[in-house]
Amino acid sequence: MSTRSRTARRTVGITEVARHAGVSPGTVSNVLNRPERVAEATRLRVEAAIAELDYVRNSSGSSLRSGRSESVGLLVLDVTNPFFTEVARGVEDEAAESGLAVVLLNSAEARERQRRNVRLLAEQRAAGAVVMPIDDDLSDLVWLNRQGTAWVALDRGDVAEDVGCSVSVDNHAGGMAAGRHLIGLGHERATFLTGPFAIEQVRRRHEGLRAAFEEAGLDPDACVRVVEQPLLNPEQGERAVDAVLAGGPRQRPQAVFCANDQLALGVMKGLGQRGLRVPEDVSVVGYDNVDFADLVHPGLTTVAQPKYELGRTAMRLLNSELNHGEHVHERVLFTPELVVRGSTAAYRD
Amino acid sequence: MSTRSRTARRTVGITEVARHAGVSPGTVSNVLNRPERVAEATRLRVEAAIAELDYVRNSSGSSLRSGRSESVGLLVLDVTNPFFTEVARGVEDEAAESGLAVVLLNSAEARERQRRNVRLLAEQRAAGAVVMPIDDDLSDLVWLNRQGTAWVALDRGDVAEDVGCSVSVDNHAGGMAAGRHLIGLGHERATFLTGPFAIEQVRRRHEGLRAAFEEAGLDPDACVRVVEQPLLNPEQGERAVDAVLAGGPRQRPQAVFCANDQLALGVMKGLGQRGLRVPEDVSVVGYDNVDFADLVHPGLTTVAQPKYELGRTAMRLLNSELNHGEHVHERVLFTPELVVRGSTAAYRD
DNA sequence: CACCTGGATTGAAACGTGTCAATGAGCCGC
DNA sequence: GCGGCTCATTGACACGTTTCAATCCAGGTG
């Protein structure tokens, strides 16, 4: 055990570097920010001084002066969800390339916490933010925009374009792809296992599923049942099994389409515990294609989202908004892709 | 589509609030930071002005003046790993309680990137950091400390105590618990499937496993084989199956202990593809107890780490270091816990 | 009434950087 | 050799906040 050395290290700033190199502070600043404006000889001299004094720039000073910091926020619904972490990686990578730091903020699906985090971003004078809003109420974000911080909405295609950019995946198409797949296998009774319908993505996936049945000349009202759970995690999936199976073998769905891989994995576990086999007795389809979907047995058929690309594109959009003076809000829409694995099979009576 | 409103919103600062409330800027600052020093009447007047003008404090200004910012870094090996995300949640929660923002930085297991991130923390004059170092070379972190930024090492029990605090889990005990469990089931040929031995945690787990065999009067050199892969992800686990099975049924291990749940899940998948059943033909033990360990079939027996607590404790330690002037580096060691599920069973010839 | 005390408030001086108008140094062409 | 030009550099100020010594005021005491 030893005591922390409270080194009263005198802070070396731009002015000390300047003195050491025999130039003015302004020149040092130029070397740092617009090297092309300064003659090579002096630039080298300044760089030498920087190295020798082990100078590290103080970003508080610079963002105070310039009015804007060099970090962007990533406001996420739930750090734990593997879907988001993949997105985070995309944002991180793209931000790193433009020298921006990423501040991770977790709303933990709580409105109060989202509000606090938005406020934090405003206090930091963050350059921008990539945001997954907690619900349809965007007033906090509009406020943030008025404070001068730009943002891009993620996975929320319905933001009005006069409010901000958005990057999302076509949830309707995803639901439809899942529906077509099941219908193609001969299923006619499906259950949509989902989280709260307050979440827009979830609603769209449901509509897509129904559209697929309609397209095939089947009545969605008769064919598609819904089981709604309060959260989108594995435990809730497991807990929902009884509701899913309600009605006995004649009424019971031939297939379960889950709004989420986590729900799907939970439901698969629950089905197994009740002696039902996937896919022989029930087919299961998930959504997201998290890494683990490939590792369970049987592999989970699921609607894949380009998670990494999603984050990367959002950050790229944000970047372009930050650099161009004149900016027109954009809306990028990815198309999901069905990945067929072992958890779905043709229906046989 | 509409053009971003470039509102030339004049910035309202502490001085404008002061004028509006008829007090001096200093008083406003006091209201914000040490409300007890200011008389109730004026405090209320200032607060009213703040609300009316929609003032939001500028953290650049305050950290410039005070010399230290109010954010802490979380330097992580790989944002994607579910182990880290759980840790992140713990850090987040604890930081939020003390009003600190968490800056997430991803080393992506690359030394160069870790270095850049450490530099970023120094530039931000971060109050502190929770760090998972990429390898044994802590020189960057020592440098960071000299810059005045304190840190707590995570999951790295071997940092010298004169360098910094650390919070970790007893990897030796974890390996031993796994070993005892397998020996108790009658296994005498085990393979340790692992990532690079350069990682300290991995080495300790291996030693623990060997210690268990020794304790039981068995020769570790004869009983424990090692298969080393370059990375700790599922794909590598799958790829390692052939190496694990080398030697045919007589030589083949009765149990595989993996340094990581991800490896374990990969190897289970690979074993299944080759027609081997878990646990009937081979027992598998993982490490970490990620959420998904409970969802595969059979459930994965694994050594659980208190992930959330780990993060939370690290942040708490950091906090105490930041607040107390005099500080003695601490070393916290958690004990892991074996969670037995279906992937392990008694050996029968 | 003069004096003291202690709490509330003030004013000015930093913190480290970016910006920009002004200055200086060289160079070319007439 | 001179005016005019460009490119490099300078110097001073402003950004919004915290801090701290100095000031003010009210009330109590002798």
Side-chain angles (χ1 to χ4, degrees):
Chain A
M1 310 248 175
S2 99
T3 309
R4 154 107 164 278
S5 53
R6 282 239 163 258
T7 16
R9 194 183 142 73
R10 110 196 139 325
T11 158
V12 24
I14 215 182
T15 47
E16 175 145 354
V17 172
R19 196 179 323 141
H20 199 268
V23 295
S24 84
T27 305
V28 176
S29 174
N30 280 334
V31 170
L32 261 35
N33 302 317
R34 305 111 105 185
E36 71 281 2
R37 289 207 190 168
V38 44
E40 171 137 12
T42 49
R43 205 197 62 216
L44 292 175
R45 202 146 32 99
V46 170
E47 279 168 354
I50 287 178
E52 186 169 345
L53 297 177
D54 196 15
Y55 162 79
V56 338
R57 129 198 159 106
N58 183 332
S59 52
S60 304
S62 71
S63 35
L64 172 57
R65 171 63 227 223
S66 64
R68 207 118 290 283
S69 89
E70 296 202 309
S71 50
V72 298
L74 173 57
L75 194 46
V76 119
L77 274 177
D78 172 14
V79 254
T80 308
N81 190 322
F83 172 72
F84 299 141
T85 63
E86 203 58 36
V87 171
R89 202 167 57 86
V91 172
E92 256 272 337
D93 282 356
E94 182 76 23
E97 280 177 19
S98 13
L100 293 168
V102 176
V103 184
L104 175 74
L105 301 165
N106 182 20
S107 304
E109 319 216 10
R111 152 155 300 283
E112 189 39 50
R113 200 138 162 192
Q114 166 174 303
R115 161 161 270 150
R116 210 172 46 205
N117 285 330
V118 165
R119 183 148 196 104
L120 208 59
L121 287 175
E123 291 186 355
Q124 309 243 38
R125 303 296 192 268
V130 174
V131 186
M132 321 192 58
I134 205 163
D135 55 23
D136 292 338
D137 180 2
L138 299 182
S139 56
D140 287 345
L141 293 178
V142 172
W143 176 84
L144 184 60
N145 214 342
R146 243 191 350 251
Q147 299 295 320
T149 297
W151 45 263
V152 174
L154 208 71
D155 211 18
R156 185 158 283 259
D158 62 336
V159 291
E161 283 187 350
D162 54 332
V163 183
C165 288
S166 77
V167 181
S168 53
V169 184
D170 190 337
N171 288 297
H172 191 274
M176 203 145 165
R180 281 173 176 160
H181 173 62
L182 292 176
I183 294 166
L185 292 173
H187 297 284
E188 295 191 345
R189 289 195 311 274
T191 289
F192 181 56
L193 174 57
T194 179
F197 264 86
I199 302 175
E200 186 240 353
Q201 295 93 311
V202 154
R203 284 198 307 269
R204 303 279 301 152
R205 288 168 199 177
H206 180 224
E207 288 164 14
L209 178 65
R210 290 173 56 96
F213 276 88
E214 232 162 74
E215 178 192 60
L218 297 164
D219 176 17
D221 290 328
C223 297
V224 177
R225 250 191 352 207
V226 171
V227 173
E228 186 178 347
Q229 297 290 111
L231 290 173
L232 287 158
N233 62 27
E235 198 199 332
Q236 295 289 337
E238 210 175 321
R239 204 177 286 178
V241 172
D242 287 328
V244 168
L245 294 179
R250 282 281 137 228
Q251 296 288 319
R252 166 212 304 167
Q254 302 154 346
V256 183
F257 173 40
C258 305
N260 198 342
D261 280 351
Q262 317 232 38
L263 280 177
L265 294 172
V267 94
M268 276 173 75
K269 184 185 176 196
L271 289 170
Q273 284 169 345
R274 278 168 190 67
L276 290 169
R277 288 164 310 160
V278 176
E280 290 83 355
D281 299 319
V282 189
S283 285
V284 175
V285 179
Y287 209 107
D288 281 353
N289 193 28
V290 300
D291 282 348
F292 287 101
D294 191 34
L295 296 174
V296 293
H297 186 81
L300 179 63
T301 295
T302 187
V303 181
Q305 310 209 62
K307 305 179 278 292
Y308 178 82
E309 270 308 318
L310 215 53
R312 186 135 194 154
T313 307
M315 189 59 220
R316 184 156 29 220
L317 234 58
L318 183 57
N319 240 329
S320 87
E321 175 160 0
L322 295 180
N323 295 332
H324 296 332
E326 226 29 50
H327 169 79
V328 174
H329 289 318
E330 248 178 278
R331 187 182 286 191
V332 177
L333 192 64
F334 284 96
T335 304
E337 202 171 316
L338 184 75
V339 177
V340 179
R341 296 202 182 90
S343 69
T344 48
Y347 176 65
R348 41 175 204 281
D349 208 0
Chain B
M1 309 247 176
S2 97
T3 309
R4 156 106 165 277
S5 53
R6 282 240 164 257
T7 16
R9 193 183 143 73
R10 108 197 141 325
T11 157
V12 23
I14 215 180
T15 47
E16 175 146 354
V17 172
R19 195 179 323 141
H20 200 267
V23 295
S24 84
T27 305
V28 177
S29 173
N30 280 335
V31 170
L32 261 34
N33 302 317
R34 303 110 107 183
E36 73 280 2
R37 289 208 190 168
V38 44
E40 170 136 14
T42 48
R43 205 197 63 215
L44 291 175
R45 201 146 31 98
V46 170
E47 279 168 354
I50 286 177
E52 186 169 346
L53 297 178
D54 196 15
Y55 162 79
V56 338
R57 129 197 159 107
N58 183 331
S59 52
S60 304
S62 72
S63 30
L64 171 58
R65 171 63 226 220
S66 64
R68 207 115 292 279
S69 90
E70 296 201 310
S71 50
V72 297
L74 172 57
L75 193 47
V76 119
L77 274 178
D78 171 13
V79 255
T80 307
N81 191 323
F83 171 72
F84 298 142
T85 65
E86 203 58 37
V87 171
R89 201 166 58 85
V91 171
E92 255 272 338
D93 282 357
E94 182 76 23
E97 280 177 21
S98 12
L100 293 168
V102 176
V103 184
L104 175 73
L105 302 164
N106 182 19
S107 305
E109 320 216 10
R111 154 155 298 282
E112 188 39 50
R113 201 141 161 192
Q114 166 175 303
R115 162 160 268 151
R116 210 171 48 204
N117 285 330
V118 164
R119 183 151 195 102
L120 208 59
L121 288 175
E123 292 186 354
Q124 309 244 37
R125 303 295 192 267
V130 174
V131 185
M132 321 191 57
I134 205 164
D135 56 23
D136 292 338
D137 179 2
L138 299 182
S139 56
D140 287 345
L141 293 178
V142 172
W143 176 83
L144 183 61
N145 215 342
R146 243 191 349 251
Q147 298 296 319
T149 297
W151 46 262
V152 175
L154 208 70
D155 211 18
R156 185 158 285 260
D158 61 336
V159 290
E161 282 186 354
D162 52 334
V163 182
C165 289
S166 77
V167 181
S168 52
V169 184
D170 189 336
N171 289 297
H172 191 274
M176 203 145 166
R180 281 173 176 160
H181 173 60
L182 292 175
I183 294 165
L185 292 172
H187 297 284
E188 295 191 345
R189 288 194 311 275
T191 290
F192 181 56
L193 174 56
T194 180
F197 263 86
I199 302 175
E200 187 240 353
Q201 295 92 311
V202 155
R203 284 198 306 270
R204 302 279 301 155
R205 288 169 199 176
H206 179 223
E207 288 164 15
L209 177 65
R210 290 173 55 97
F213 276 88
E214 231 162 78
E215 178 192 60
L218 296 164
D219 175 17
D221 289 327
C223 297
V224 177
R225 249 189 356 206
V226 171
V227 173
E228 186 177 347
Q229 297 290 110
L231 290 172
L232 286 158
N233 62 27
E235 198 200 334
Q236 295 290 337
E238 211 175 321
R239 204 177 286 177
V241 172
D242 286 327
V244 169
L245 294 179
R250 283 280 137 229
Q251 295 288 319
R252 167 214 301 168
Q254 301 156 346
V256 183
F257 174 39
C258 304
N260 199 342
D261 280 352
Q262 318 233 38
L263 280 177
L265 294 172
V267 93
M268 277 174 74
K269 184 184 176 197
L271 289 170
Q273 284 170 344
R274 277 168 190 69
L276 290 170
R277 289 165 309 161
V278 175
E280 290 83 355
D281 298 319
V282 189
S283 285
V284 175
V285 179
Y287 209 108
D288 281 353
N289 193 28
V290 299
D291 283 348
F292 287 99
D294 190 35
L295 296 175
V296 294
H297 185 80
L300 179 63
T301 294
T302 187
V303 181
Q305 310 209 62
K307 304 179 280 291
Y308 178 83
E309 271 308 317
L310 216 51
R312 185 135 193 152
T313 308
M315 189 59 220
R316 183 157 29 221
L317 235 56
L318 183 56
N319 238 330
S320 89
E321 175 159 1
L322 295 180
N323 295 331
H324 295 332
E326 225 30 50
H327 170 79
V328 175
H329 290 316
E330 248 177 279
R331 188 183 285 192
V332 177
L333 192 64
F334 285 97
T335 304
E337 202 171 317
L338 184 75
V339 177
V340 178
R341 296 202 182 91
S343 69
T344 47
Y347 177 66
R348 42 175 203 283
D349 208 0

